[in-house]
Structures are given as C-alpha cells and as structure tokens.
Amino acid sequence: MKYHIIPVTAFSQNCSVISCPKTNEAALVDPGGDAEKIKAEVAALGVTLTQVLLTHGHLDHVGAAAELAAYYQVPIVGPHKEDQFLLAGLPEQSRMFGLEHCDALTPDVWLEEGDVVKVGEEKLTVLECPGHTPGHIVFINQTAKFAVSGDVIFKGGVGRSDFPRGNHEDLINSIKTKLLPLGDDIVFLPGHGPMSTLGYERLNNPFL
C-alpha cells in the first residue's frame, strides 16, 4: 500500500492519498481544504480516486470533501454517525474559525467498528475511537502495519477533547484499548504533524 501526504489549510492538516499499487485505485482521506492543491497532487500521482474517506467531522478535515467528491464523482465514506451533528454544523464551524463558508455535509456511507473499506486490493478495517469527537474512526491496514489515525494520537501528543462532545477519558481509553494492542510496529499517519509508531508512543508519549 502507498500513501502520500498533502498538508492543507492553515492548520497544516495531513490530507492523504492512500493507494493500491496493483490497481492504482486510491482513496482521499480527510480533505480539509485547498481543493485545487489536492487536485494537482492527485493528478501528479496518476491514481484513480474511488472514494473520499473521513475520520471525523471537524472542518479542517472535511472542508473540501463535498467539492472533491463531486469533482471526481465518488462517494464520501465515514465517519461514524455520532459525528453527524458536526457535519450538520459545518456552517457554524466555518464562522467560528473565521474560515470560508462550508455547507453542511451528509456522507454517502456511515462507518462502524469492524467495517472494511477496500481501496483496490488493499483493505482498511475501521476502529471506533471516540474522545476527540464522539464518532471518530481510525483506518487500519494490518497487512501493511499502517494506520490513518486522524486526531486521536500524534507523535508526542493526543487529540484535543475540549470541543463539543469531546471526552479526554474516552480518548485515552480509545488509544489504550483499541490502538496500542494493534502492536508496536504499527506506523500511523496522524491528522497533524509527523508520523510515528505505536511502539514509540507507548514508551514516550507523556499523555499515555
């Protein structure tokens, strides 16, 4: 499995392109904004986008999702339905952060724990990891030892829990009971900042 990171928005959010080297099919994960930049990088990669995947409903992760899904004529998949209130409130989120207006969004498919998303011949298993938001999900490719963790865990940090319906206890529980048991050799691509491994964070992350 291949991945390519496209930093977008003033929040330096890690939008990513996850692709299958055998079929050249790809998923666009968390396109938070800067749609034209994303289009250019996808074109340069030469992949065929089949879907837009969302880890959670915050504006900096979904801001360009509707525009790009329409442009590529692909479905929006995820997050969990518990984040519906955030996607319905995107106009308010954009006003709150002083950013360009973003219409409310309803994905084509909601995801739940255990669902499997196929990107070409690659399989991403869904884990529900609430805490940063109630409907936050993480995508895991066990074969590649790779995860897209959104804003659950970062190198040396964890996601904020002071947003509406965030919960720090739930967040730490998600990391300790869902993510760390996956194994120390899992490499994760977070929503912001550099990549890391679960093993490194288990030993060095001050929040754990």
Side-chain angles (χ1 to χ4, degrees), residues 68-113:
L68 291 167
Y71 178 79
Y72 291 108
Q73 296 188 307
V74 298
I76 297 174
V77 180
H80 186 277
K81 204 166 188 174
E82 284 293 318
D83 271 12
Q84 185 172 17
F85 78 103
L86 288 169
L87 296 174
L90 284 169
E92 288 77 19
Q93 285 194 56
S94 50
R95 283 197 297 272
M96 186 191 312
F97 291 108
L99 298 173
E100 188 177 335
H101 174 80
C102 184
D103 288 332
L105 170 67
T106 301
D108 298 282
V109 180
W110 298 104
L111 292 174
E112 296 182 353
E113 178 106 5

mmCIF file of all heavy atoms in Angstrom, residues 68-113:
data_model
loop_
_atom_site.group_PDB
_atom_site.id
_atom_site.type_symbol
_atom_site.label_atom_id
_atom_site.label_comp_id
_atom_site.label_asym_id
_atom_site.label_seq_id
_atom_site.Cartn_x
_atom_site.Cartn_y
_atom_site.Cartn_z
ATOM 1 N N LEU A 68 -14.674 17.951 -3.703
ATOM 2 C CA LEU A 68 -13.826 16.962 -4.375
ATOM 3 C C LEU A 68 -14.601 15.690 -4.720
ATOM 4 O O LEU A 68 -14.367 15.087 -5.771
ATOM 5 C CB LEU A 68 -12.610 16.641 -3.500
ATOM 6 C CG LEU A 68 -11.623 17.804 -3.383
ATOM 7 C CD1 LEU A 68 -10.619 17.559 -2.267
ATOM 8 C CD2 LEU A 68 -10.892 18.034 -4.706
ATOM 9 N N ALA A 69 -15.529 15.302 -3.862
ATOM 10 C CA ALA A 69 -16.355 14.135 -4.183
ATOM 11 C C ALA A 69 -17.183 14.397 -5.443
ATOM 12 O O ALA A 69 -17.343 13.512 -6.297
ATOM 13 C CB ALA A 69 -17.265 13.795 -3.004
ATOM 14 N N ALA A 70 -17.691 15.624 -5.564
ATOM 15 C CA ALA A 70 -18.451 15.984 -6.760
ATOM 16 C C ALA A 70 -17.538 16.040 -7.988
ATOM 17 O O ALA A 70 -17.907 15.576 -9.078
ATOM 18 C CB ALA A 70 -19.142 17.333 -6.550
ATOM 19 N N TYR A 71 -16.349 16.598 -7.816
ATOM 20 C CA TYR A 71 -15.405 16.736 -8.931
ATOM 21 C C TYR A 71 -14.993 15.370 -9.481
ATOM 22 O O TYR A 71 -14.962 15.165 -10.705
ATOM 23 C CB TYR A 71 -14.171 17.503 -8.460
ATOM 24 C CG TYR A 71 -13.092 17.668 -9.493
ATOM 25 C CD1 TYR A 71 -13.196 18.634 -10.496
ATOM 26 C CD2 TYR A 71 -11.956 16.864 -9.467
ATOM 27 C CE1 TYR A 71 -12.208 18.784 -11.451
ATOM 28 C CE2 TYR A 71 -10.957 17.002 -10.422
ATOM 29 C CZ TYR A 71 -11.081 17.961 -11.413
ATOM 30 O OH TYR A 71 -10.086 18.104 -12.361
ATOM 31 N N TYR A 72 -14.692 14.424 -8.578
ATOM 32 C CA TYR A 72 -14.248 13.097 -9.008
ATOM 33 C C TYR A 72 -15.416 12.122 -9.178
ATOM 34 O O TYR A 72 -15.201 10.981 -9.594
ATOM 35 C CB TYR A 72 -13.245 12.525 -8.002
ATOM 36 C CG TYR A 72 -11.919 13.258 -7.988
ATOM 37 C CD1 TYR A 72 -11.575 14.082 -6.919
ATOM 38 C CD2 TYR A 72 -11.013 13.143 -9.039
ATOM 39 C CE1 TYR A 72 -10.362 14.769 -6.903
ATOM 40 C CE2 TYR A 72 -9.801 13.819 -9.036
ATOM 41 C CZ TYR A 72 -9.483 14.636 -7.958
ATOM 42 O OH TYR A 72 -8.284 15.305 -7.946
ATOM 43 N N GLN A 73 -16.624 12.575 -8.805
ATOM 44 C CA GLN A 73 -17.828 11.743 -8.878
ATOM 45 C C GLN A 73 -17.644 10.436 -8.095
ATOM 46 O O GLN A 73 -17.837 9.331 -8.615
ATOM 47 C CB GLN A 73 -18.207 11.470 -10.334
ATOM 48 C CG GLN A 73 -18.595 12.742 -11.094
ATOM 49 C CD GLN A 73 -19.150 12.458 -12.472
ATOM 50 O OE1 GLN A 73 -18.525 11.756 -13.269
ATOM 51 N NE2 GLN A 73 -20.327 12.995 -12.752
ATOM 52 N N VAL A 74 -17.254 10.604 -6.827
ATOM 53 C CA VAL A 74 -17.031 9.459 -5.944
ATOM 54 C C VAL A 74 -17.803 9.676 -4.640
ATOM 55 O O VAL A 74 -18.147 10.802 -4.297
ATOM 56 C CB VAL A 74 -15.526 9.268 -5.640
ATOM 57 C CG1 VAL A 74 -14.749 8.969 -6.916
ATOM 58 C CG2 VAL A 74 -14.943 10.482 -4.921
ATOM 59 N N PRO A 75 -18.078 8.592 -3.898
ATOM 60 C CA PRO A 75 -18.818 8.731 -2.636
ATOM 61 C C PRO A 75 -17.941 9.221 -1.488
ATOM 62 O O PRO A 75 -16.726 9.060 -1.508
ATOM 63 C CB PRO A 75 -19.305 7.299 -2.363
ATOM 64 C CG PRO A 75 -18.278 6.429 -3.029
ATOM 65 C CD PRO A 75 -17.841 7.182 -4.260
ATOM 66 N N ILE A 76 -18.605 9.831 -0.506
ATOM 67 C CA ILE A 76 -17.960 10.187 0.759
ATOM 68 C C ILE A 76 -18.301 9.103 1.763
ATOM 69 O O ILE A 76 -19.478 8.795 1.998
ATOM 70 C CB ILE A 76 -18.444 11.561 1.266
ATOM 71 C CG1 ILE A 76 -18.059 12.657 0.268
ATOM 72 C CG2 ILE A 76 -17.848 11.861 2.643
ATOM 73 C CD1 ILE A 76 -18.615 14.030 0.614
ATOM 74 N N VAL A 77 -17.273 8.525 2.371
ATOM 75 C CA VAL A 77 -17.433 7.365 3.247
ATOM 76 C C VAL A 77 -16.882 7.690 4.634
ATOM 77 O O VAL A 77 -15.716 8.076 4.765
ATOM 78 C CB VAL A 77 -16.713 6.132 2.658
ATOM 79 C CG1 VAL A 77 -16.875 4.927 3.561
ATOM 80 C CG2 VAL A 77 -17.251 5.819 1.254
ATOM 81 N N GLY A 78 -17.726 7.514 5.674
ATOM 82 C CA GLY A 78 -17.313 7.824 7.030
ATOM 83 C C GLY A 78 -17.609 9.272 7.359
ATOM 84 O O GLY A 78 -18.009 10.058 6.485
ATOM 85 N N PRO A 79 -17.468 9.635 8.636
ATOM 86 C CA PRO A 79 -17.032 8.821 9.775
ATOM 87 C C PRO A 79 -18.201 8.018 10.366
ATOM 88 O O PRO A 79 -19.066 7.571 9.615
ATOM 89 C CB PRO A 79 -16.534 9.888 10.762
ATOM 90 C CG PRO A 79 -17.414 11.090 10.461
ATOM 91 C CD PRO A 79 -17.663 11.047 8.980
ATOM 92 N N HIS A 80 -18.203 7.827 11.694
ATOM 93 C CA HIS A 80 -19.310 7.183 12.392
ATOM 94 C C HIS A 80 -20.442 8.194 12.553
ATOM 95 O O HIS A 80 -20.215 9.403 12.637
ATOM 96 C CB HIS A 80 -18.835 6.684 13.762
ATOM 97 C CG HIS A 80 -19.862 5.889 14.507
ATOM 98 N ND1 HIS A 80 -20.855 6.484 15.267
ATOM 99 C CD2 HIS A 80 -20.050 4.550 14.627
ATOM 100 C CE1 HIS A 80 -21.603 5.547 15.809
ATOM 101 N NE2 HIS A 80 -21.141 4.368 15.431
ATOM 102 N N LYS A 81 -21.665 7.689 12.623
ATOM 103 C CA LYS A 81 -22.851 8.554 12.659
ATOM 104 C C LYS A 81 -22.898 9.482 13.875
ATOM 105 O O LYS A 81 -23.611 10.492 13.860
ATOM 106 C CB LYS A 81 -24.114 7.693 12.616
ATOM 107 C CG LYS A 81 -25.327 8.422 12.087
ATOM 108 C CD LYS A 81 -26.447 7.459 11.742
ATOM 109 C CE LYS A 81 -27.567 8.209 11.019
ATOM 110 N NZ LYS A 81 -28.619 7.271 10.538
ATOM 111 N N GLU A 82 -22.138 9.163 14.935
ATOM 112 C CA GLU A 82 -22.116 10.033 16.111
ATOM 113 C C GLU A 82 -21.561 11.427 15.791
ATOM 114 O O GLU A 82 -21.741 12.362 16.567
ATOM 115 C CB GLU A 82 -21.299 9.395 17.238
ATOM 116 C CG GLU A 82 -22.010 8.275 17.968
ATOM 117 C CD GLU A 82 -23.218 8.759 18.761
ATOM 118 O OE1 GLU A 82 -23.118 9.818 19.408
ATOM 119 O OE2 GLU A 82 -24.261 8.085 18.735
ATOM 120 N N ASP A 83 -20.867 11.559 14.650
ATOM 121 C CA ASP A 83 -20.345 12.874 14.249
ATOM 122 C C ASP A 83 -21.298 13.613 13.317
ATOM 123 O O ASP A 83 -20.935 14.661 12.750
ATOM 124 C CB ASP A 83 -18.973 12.736 13.581
ATOM 125 C CG ASP A 83 -17.823 12.802 14.585
ATOM 126 O OD1 ASP A 83 -18.100 12.717 15.794
ATOM 127 O OD2 ASP A 83 -16.662 12.918 14.159
ATOM 128 N N GLN A 84 -22.513 13.119 13.174
ATOM 129 C CA GLN A 84 -23.476 13.762 12.285
ATOM 130 C C GLN A 84 -23.714 15.217 12.686
ATOM 131 O O GLN A 84 -23.836 16.103 11.840
ATOM 132 C CB GLN A 84 -24.791 12.986 12.301
ATOM 133 C CG GLN A 84 -25.832 13.507 11.318
ATOM 134 C CD GLN A 84 -27.040 12.586 11.229
ATOM 135 O OE1 GLN A 84 -27.270 11.743 12.090
ATOM 136 N NE2 GLN A 84 -27.821 12.742 10.171
ATOM 137 N N PHE A 85 -23.757 15.495 13.994
ATOM 138 C CA PHE A 85 -24.022 16.865 14.450
ATOM 139 C C PHE A 85 -22.914 17.821 14.023
ATOM 140 O O PHE A 85 -23.167 19.008 13.760
ATOM 141 C CB PHE A 85 -24.204 16.889 15.979
ATOM 142 C CG PHE A 85 -22.927 16.817 16.777
ATOM 143 C CD1 PHE A 85 -22.399 17.959 17.372
ATOM 144 C CD2 PHE A 85 -22.247 15.616 16.927
ATOM 145 C CE1 PHE A 85 -21.228 17.901 18.110
ATOM 146 C CE2 PHE A 85 -21.080 15.551 17.666
ATOM 147 C CZ PHE A 85 -20.562 16.698 18.261
ATOM 148 N N LEU A 86 -21.674 17.329 13.943
ATOM 149 C CA LEU A 86 -20.571 18.175 13.499
ATOM 150 C C LEU A 86 -20.674 18.480 12.011
ATOM 151 O O LEU A 86 -20.451 19.622 11.572
ATOM 152 C CB LEU A 86 -19.231 17.496 13.800
ATOM 153 C CG LEU A 86 -18.822 17.445 15.264
ATOM 154 C CD1 LEU A 86 -17.630 16.518 15.457
ATOM 155 C CD2 LEU A 86 -18.499 18.840 15.788
ATOM 156 N N LEU A 87 -21.017 17.476 11.217
ATOM 157 C CA LEU A 87 -21.143 17.689 9.776
ATOM 158 C C LEU A 87 -22.344 18.573 9.460
ATOM 159 O O LEU A 87 -22.292 19.386 8.531
ATOM 160 C CB LEU A 87 -21.259 16.334 9.060
ATOM 161 C CG LEU A 87 -20.018 15.436 9.187
ATOM 162 C CD1 LEU A 87 -20.284 14.067 8.565
ATOM 163 C CD2 LEU A 87 -18.798 16.078 8.540
ATOM 164 N N ALA A 88 -23.404 18.443 10.246
ATOM 165 C CA ALA A 88 -24.570 19.321 10.062
ATOM 166 C C ALA A 88 -24.230 20.756 10.462
ATOM 167 O O ALA A 88 -24.825 21.711 9.955
ATOM 168 C CB ALA A 88 -25.743 18.803 10.888
ATOM 169 N N GLY A 89 -23.267 20.914 11.365
ATOM 170 C CA GLY A 89 -22.892 22.227 11.873
ATOM 171 C C GLY A 89 -21.688 22.846 11.201
ATOM 172 O O GLY A 89 -21.097 23.799 11.739
ATOM 173 N N LEU A 90 -21.315 22.362 10.024
ATOM 174 C CA LEU A 90 -20.140 22.911 9.333
ATOM 175 C C LEU A 90 -20.250 24.415 9.046
ATOM 176 O O LEU A 90 -19.255 25.131 9.159
ATOM 177 C CB LEU A 90 -19.864 22.129 8.040
ATOM 178 C CG LEU A 90 -19.204 20.762 8.245
ATOM 179 C CD1 LEU A 90 -19.210 19.958 6.944
ATOM 180 C CD2 LEU A 90 -17.781 20.902 8.773
ATOM 181 N N PRO A 91 -21.434 24.939 8.701
ATOM 182 C CA PRO A 91 -21.512 26.398 8.524
ATOM 183 C C PRO A 91 -21.131 27.158 9.796
ATOM 184 O O PRO A 91 -20.408 28.164 9.733
ATOM 185 C CB PRO A 91 -22.987 26.623 8.162
ATOM 186 C CG PRO A 91 -23.418 25.343 7.529
ATOM 187 C CD PRO A 91 -22.691 24.267 8.310
ATOM 188 N N GLU A 92 -21.574 26.651 10.949
ATOM 189 C CA GLU A 92 -21.221 27.277 12.224
ATOM 190 C C GLU A 92 -19.734 27.126 12.519
ATOM 191 O O GLU A 92 -19.091 28.055 13.013
ATOM 192 C CB GLU A 92 -22.055 26.670 13.360
ATOM 193 C CG GLU A 92 -23.521 27.077 13.378
ATOM 194 C CD GLU A 92 -24.340 26.336 12.320
ATOM 195 O OE1 GLU A 92 -23.888 25.282 11.830
ATOM 196 O OE2 GLU A 92 -25.423 26.820 11.982
ATOM 197 N N GLN A 93 -19.176 25.930 12.213
ATOM 198 C CA GLN A 93 -17.744 25.730 12.423
ATOM 199 C C GLN A 93 -16.929 26.728 11.601
ATOM 200 O O GLN A 93 -15.950 27.293 12.090
ATOM 201 C CB GLN A 93 -17.341 24.299 12.026
ATOM 202 C CG GLN A 93 -17.736 23.207 12.999
ATOM 203 C CD GLN A 93 -17.000 21.902 12.677
ATOM 204 O OE1 GLN A 93 -15.772 21.860 12.632
ATOM 205 N NE2 GLN A 93 -17.758 20.849 12.451
ATOM 206 N N SER A 94 -17.332 26.947 10.347
ATOM 207 C CA SER A 94 -16.561 27.854 9.492
ATOM 208 C C SER A 94 -16.632 29.284 10.015
ATOM 209 O O SER A 94 -15.643 30.017 9.979
ATOM 210 C CB SER A 94 -17.026 27.767 8.037
ATOM 211 O OG SER A 94 -18.418 27.898 7.913
ATOM 212 N N ARG A 95 -17.799 29.683 10.546
ATOM 213 C CA ARG A 95 -17.906 31.021 11.131
ATOM 214 C C ARG A 95 -17.064 31.129 12.401
ATOM 215 O O ARG A 95 -16.395 32.126 12.639
ATOM 216 C CB ARG A 95 -19.375 31.340 11.450
ATOM 217 C CG ARG A 95 -20.201 31.708 10.237
ATOM 218 C CD ARG A 95 -21.499 32.397 10.629
ATOM 219 N NE ARG A 95 -22.365 31.525 11.424
ATOM 220 C CZ ARG A 95 -23.249 30.678 10.912
ATOM 221 N NH1 ARG A 95 -23.384 30.577 9.606
ATOM 222 N NH2 ARG A 95 -24.017 29.949 11.696
ATOM 223 N N MET A 96 -17.087 30.068 13.211
ATOM 224 C CA MET A 96 -16.356 30.065 14.475
ATOM 225 C C MET A 96 -14.855 30.250 14.259
ATOM 226 O O MET A 96 -14.189 30.963 15.004
ATOM 227 C CB MET A 96 -16.611 28.739 15.213
ATOM 228 C CG MET A 96 -16.024 28.661 16.616
ATOM 229 S SD MET A 96 -16.092 26.970 17.283
ATOM 230 C CE MET A 96 -17.783 26.511 16.935
ATOM 231 N N PHE A 97 -14.332 29.612 13.219
ATOM 232 C CA PHE A 97 -12.896 29.681 12.954
ATOM 233 C C PHE A 97 -12.531 30.793 11.978
ATOM 234 O O PHE A 97 -11.368 30.948 11.606
ATOM 235 C CB PHE A 97 -12.385 28.338 12.430
ATOM 236 C CG PHE A 97 -12.404 27.245 13.453
ATOM 237 C CD1 PHE A 97 -13.322 26.211 13.369
ATOM 238 C CD2 PHE A 97 -11.513 27.257 14.520
ATOM 239 C CE1 PHE A 97 -13.348 25.201 14.318
ATOM 240 C CE2 PHE A 97 -11.525 26.250 15.475
ATOM 241 C CZ PHE A 97 -12.445 25.220 15.377
ATOM 242 N N GLY A 98 -13.539 31.562 11.537
ATOM 243 C CA GLY A 98 -13.273 32.660 10.623
ATOM 244 C C GLY A 98 -12.793 32.200 9.264
ATOM 245 O O GLY A 98 -12.012 32.885 8.599
ATOM 246 N N LEU A 99 -13.274 31.028 8.828
ATOM 247 C CA LEU A 99 -12.841 30.465 7.555
ATOM 248 C C LEU A 99 -13.961 30.567 6.522
ATOM 249 O O LEU A 99 -15.099 30.925 6.838
ATOM 250 C CB LEU A 99 -12.424 29.004 7.745
ATOM 251 C CG LEU A 99 -11.241 28.787 8.696
ATOM 252 C CD1 LEU A 99 -11.022 27.308 8.930
ATOM 253 C CD2 LEU A 99 -9.972 29.413 8.118
ATOM 254 N N GLU A 100 -13.615 30.235 5.284
ATOM 255 C CA GLU A 100 -14.578 30.281 4.190
ATOM 256 C C GLU A 100 -15.786 29.405 4.512
ATOM 257 O O GLU A 100 -15.655 28.329 5.103
ATOM 258 C CB GLU A 100 -13.874 29.782 2.919
ATOM 259 C CG GLU A 100 -14.682 29.945 1.653
ATOM 260 C CD GLU A 100 -13.891 29.501 0.433
ATOM 261 O OE1 GLU A 100 -12.643 29.536 0.478
ATOM 262 O OE2 GLU A 100 -14.538 29.123 -0.561
ATOM 263 N N HIS A 101 -16.969 29.852 4.101
ATOM 264 C CA HIS A 101 -18.204 29.118 4.394
ATOM 265 C C HIS A 101 -18.123 27.679 3.878
ATOM 266 O O HIS A 101 -17.640 27.421 2.781
ATOM 267 C CB HIS A 101 -19.407 29.812 3.748
ATOM 268 C CG HIS A 101 -20.686 29.036 3.884
ATOM 269 N ND1 HIS A 101 -21.438 29.040 5.037
ATOM 270 C CD2 HIS A 101 -21.310 28.204 3.010
ATOM 271 C CE1 HIS A 101 -22.490 28.253 4.875
ATOM 272 N NE2 HIS A 101 -22.437 27.746 3.649
ATOM 273 N N CYS A 102 -18.607 26.749 4.702
ATOM 274 C CA CYS A 102 -18.643 25.341 4.311
ATOM 275 C C CYS A 102 -20.054 24.818 4.561
ATOM 276 O O CYS A 102 -20.574 24.918 5.673
ATOM 277 C CB CYS A 102 -17.629 24.545 5.137
ATOM 278 S SG CYS A 102 -17.521 22.802 4.655
ATOM 279 N N ASP A 103 -20.692 24.296 3.519
ATOM 280 C CA ASP A 103 -22.056 23.785 3.649
ATOM 281 C C ASP A 103 -22.098 22.537 4.531
ATOM 282 O O ASP A 103 -21.099 21.811 4.658
ATOM 283 C CB ASP A 103 -22.620 23.418 2.271
ATOM 284 C CG ASP A 103 -22.949 24.644 1.434
ATOM 285 O OD1 ASP A 103 -23.255 25.699 2.022
ATOM 286 O OD2 ASP A 103 -22.873 24.543 0.190
ATOM 287 N N ALA A 104 -23.259 22.291 5.114
ATOM 288 C CA ALA A 104 -23.472 21.050 5.857
ATOM 289 C C ALA A 104 -23.260 19.864 4.925
ATOM 290 O O ALA A 104 -23.450 19.963 3.704
ATOM 291 C CB ALA A 104 -24.880 21.029 6.431
ATOM 292 N N LEU A 105 -22.860 18.743 5.502
ATOM 293 C CA LEU A 105 -22.455 17.582 4.711
ATOM 294 C C LEU A 105 -23.071 16.311 5.283
ATOM 295 O O LEU A 105 -23.108 16.123 6.509
ATOM 296 C CB LEU A 105 -20.921 17.480 4.741
ATOM 297 C CG LEU A 105 -20.251 16.220 4.192
ATOM 298 C CD1 LEU A 105 -20.462 16.141 2.691
ATOM 299 C CD2 LEU A 105 -18.758 16.235 4.515
ATOM 300 N N THR A 106 -23.569 15.464 4.403
ATOM 301 C CA THR A 106 -24.012 14.126 4.799
ATOM 302 C C THR A 106 -23.264 13.114 3.941
ATOM 303 O O THR A 106 -23.387 13.137 2.710
ATOM 304 C CB THR A 106 -25.526 13.937 4.593
ATOM 305 O OG1 THR A 106 -26.232 14.906 5.366
ATOM 306 C CG2 THR A 106 -25.954 12.541 5.041
ATOM 307 N N PRO A 107 -22.472 12.240 4.553
ATOM 308 C CA PRO A 107 -21.731 11.265 3.750
ATOM 309 C C PRO A 107 -22.659 10.257 3.080
ATOM 310 O O PRO A 107 -23.811 10.082 3.505
ATOM 311 C CB PRO A 107 -20.814 10.576 4.774
ATOM 312 C CG PRO A 107 -21.455 10.816 6.094
ATOM 313 C CD PRO A 107 -22.182 12.107 5.991
ATOM 314 N N ASP A 108 -22.165 9.610 2.053
ATOM 315 C CA ASP A 108 -22.941 8.562 1.382
ATOM 316 C C ASP A 108 -23.021 7.300 2.229
ATOM 317 O O ASP A 108 -24.005 6.567 2.161
ATOM 318 C CB ASP A 108 -22.303 8.249 0.019
ATOM 319 C CG ASP A 108 -22.323 9.455 -0.897
ATOM 320 O OD1 ASP A 108 -23.388 9.739 -1.473
ATOM 321 O OD2 ASP A 108 -21.282 10.127 -1.006
ATOM 322 N N VAL A 109 -21.978 7.062 3.023
ATOM 323 C CA VAL A 109 -21.919 5.861 3.861
ATOM 324 C C VAL A 109 -21.363 6.226 5.231
ATOM 325 O O VAL A 109 -20.301 6.860 5.322
ATOM 326 C CB VAL A 109 -21.006 4.769 3.229
ATOM 327 C CG1 VAL A 109 -20.965 3.525 4.107
ATOM 328 C CG2 VAL A 109 -21.476 4.418 1.820
ATOM 329 N N TRP A 110 -22.084 5.855 6.290
ATOM 330 C CA TRP A 110 -21.530 5.943 7.652
ATOM 331 C C TRP A 110 -20.771 4.665 7.937
ATOM 332 O O TRP A 110 -21.117 3.600 7.422
ATOM 333 C CB TRP A 110 -22.647 6.116 8.689
ATOM 334 C CG TRP A 110 -23.463 7.361 8.550
ATOM 335 C CD1 TRP A 110 -24.725 7.467 8.037
ATOM 336 C CD2 TRP A 110 -23.097 8.690 8.944
ATOM 337 N NE1 TRP A 110 -25.164 8.767 8.076
ATOM 338 C CE2 TRP A 110 -24.193 9.542 8.629
ATOM 339 C CE3 TRP A 110 -21.952 9.237 9.522
ATOM 340 C CZ2 TRP A 110 -24.164 10.911 8.880
ATOM 341 C CZ3 TRP A 110 -21.934 10.600 9.774
ATOM 342 C CH2 TRP A 110 -23.019 11.426 9.458
ATOM 343 N N LEU A 111 -19.740 4.743 8.774
ATOM 344 C CA LEU A 111 -18.939 3.561 9.096
ATOM 345 C C LEU A 111 -19.065 3.201 10.569
ATOM 346 O O LEU A 111 -19.298 4.064 11.418
ATOM 347 C CB LEU A 111 -17.467 3.804 8.744
ATOM 348 C CG LEU A 111 -17.150 3.915 7.249
ATOM 349 C CD1 LEU A 111 -15.696 4.302 7.036
ATOM 350 C CD2 LEU A 111 -17.460 2.598 6.525
ATOM 351 N N GLU A 112 -18.878 1.902 10.853
ATOM 352 C CA GLU A 112 -18.921 1.402 12.222
ATOM 353 C C GLU A 112 -17.734 0.478 12.464
ATOM 354 O O GLU A 112 -17.084 0.013 11.522
ATOM 355 C CB GLU A 112 -20.222 0.630 12.473
ATOM 356 C CG GLU A 112 -21.478 1.463 12.381
ATOM 357 C CD GLU A 112 -22.734 0.669 12.690
ATOM 358 O OE1 GLU A 112 -22.625 -0.572 12.855
ATOM 359 O OE2 GLU A 112 -23.819 1.268 12.777
ATOM 360 N N GLU A 113 -17.481 0.214 13.735
ATOM 361 C CA GLU A 113 -16.409 -0.711 14.139
ATOM 362 C C GLU A 113 -16.510 -2.025 13.365
ATOM 363 O O GLU A 113 -17.575 -2.625 13.251
ATOM 364 C CB GLU A 113 -16.542 -1.001 15.639
ATOM 365 C CG GLU A 113 -15.520 -1.987 16.167
ATOM 366 C CD GLU A 113 -14.433 -1.341 16.987
ATOM 367 O OE1 GLU A 113 -14.502 -0.126 17.241
ATOM 368 O OE2 GLU A 113 -13.508 -2.050 17.371
#
